[in-house]
Amino acid sequence: MAQTTARRVRHAARQAESERKNAAAALQRALDRRDNGGSTGH
């Protein structure tokens, strides 16, 4: 039972890390859009 729980926790940690990377990428894209738009005058 403990092994199953540990596996689930590790999987959840991997999922959280993936979501964190996706959020960071989305934030970076948003910042890039804002920076690019400001530099071109749009």
Side-chain angles (χ1 to χ4, degrees):
M1 187 72 94
Q3 288 178 334
T4 315
T5 306
R7 252 198 308 265
R8 236 180 259 135
V9 169
R10 278 202 298 272
H11 177 69
R14 259 202 320 272
Q15 190 70 21
E17 185 179 348
S18 177
E19 290 177 10
R20 191 164 48 81
K21 287 180 181 177
N22 288 340
L27 176 62
Q28 189 62 58
R29 283 194 302 270
L31 291 174
D32 288 344
R33 275 199 305 270
R34 189 187 64 182
D35 292 344
N36 292 338
S39 65
T40 56
H42 283 292

